[in-house]
Amino acid sequence: MSEVGFMTMGRGGGDREVQPIGVGMLGYAFMGKAHANAYRTLAYMTWPPPLLPRLVAVAGRDPDAVSEAGRRYGFERAVTDWHELVSDDAVQLFDNVGPNALHAEPTIAAAEAGKHVICEKPLGRDAAESFETWRRVAATGVKHMCAFNYRFVPAVRLARQIIEAGEIGEIRHFRAAYLQEWGAAEIDAWRFDKAAAGSGALGDLGAHVVDLARYLVGEIAAVSAMTTAFWPGREVDDAVEAAVAFENGAVGTIEASRFATGRKNAFTWEINGSTGSIAFDLERLNELQVHYPDSTPGRATQGFRTVLVSEADHPFWEHWWPHGHIIGWEHTFVHELHHLLSAIRDDTAVAPHGATLEDGYRAAEVCDAMLRSAEAGTRETVSFRALER
């Protein structure tokens, strides 16, 4: 569709026009589908959107597959060289959903060409690569986001509000596990190649847990971890178990595995505070478990209750349905990209609710500390590099 067509579509309330933003996307498989769906959905469900996504071009190595994806998702054209996205003046937002080995170079190149960038997690294959990506991109002044989409689950955002309001008191415990089963299958995938992925279950699943821990509880100060590879000859970890200490004095555990038979996409976490607790299960995405002690004299504590996060005043619900009409995993990307487009339009900060590339780097630093701990059998302090001023 032409830019003129998008401007016609983009007429909002009154005479206000919704300005278009050209999107170039590297990658088209699982995450490419999720992001493309979000761009198309937010264009009408969050009406008027902050900016109207114009799907300019999608890049991938397989000519036939990327062409088919481009037609399916609604991109104007498909290319086999990501450099074409970087050099295209019609692309103002570079969306990197490619394999981990292609996160750093294309994202840096796009930012240095003046394009805003969003990059899927993990930001890099290790902390050094992640830091360099953050450093180079931050120097350009463009808006940047690392795509930790679970920050944009309504129940997770509500949990953050509860914590910030002091409703569960001082945080003491965080325990979380991200469990899947597909790693036990005989699959030849780049995610099992150390050169392409960096790490295994840790970077793939554990990074999400680390980011949510940082987002909800605070910075992680030290870790003690074990990793293992169950599949013979596999270069990357199949599972990680870690004890963590937070800067604010809380303690916790983080577990990630792709060998948890029967678990499809089970990301669960619980936070215990001095006056209450909250818990979440991704496979029950619209629910938050909340415990507040009963304040009635002489009555026993009542335990957890279930909050269906679908009320009009709950996070993100202004875009959706009457209460009780639940949403799904794919809508987290709608919220995430809406947040990024708002930051671009209004020139506001992506943080603290959106994960910046600094957040992507800090998650990688924690993950690297876990790998060092597992290799050496020691407790590792987590330290972070700062940008030079």
Side-chain angles (χ1 to χ4, degrees), residues 197-229:
S199 65
L202 179 57
D204 188 19
L205 305 178
H208 271 302
V209 186
V210 169
D211 182 69
L212 252 293
R214 294 185 60 248
Y215 180 63
L216 295 175
V217 179
E219 205 62 79
I220 294 173
V223 302
S224 181
M226 297 185 298
T227 62
T228 191

Side-chain angles (χ1 to χ4, degrees), residues 2 21 33 50 57 62 66 68-69 74 81 100 117 139 142 236 246-247 264 324 359:
S2 70
I21 182 168
K33 184 190 296 185
D62 186 314
V66 73
E68 176 60 27
D81 185 348
N100 299 354
V117 296
V142 302
V236 297
F246 293 86
E247 288 183 356
K264 308 302 179 182
D359 290 302

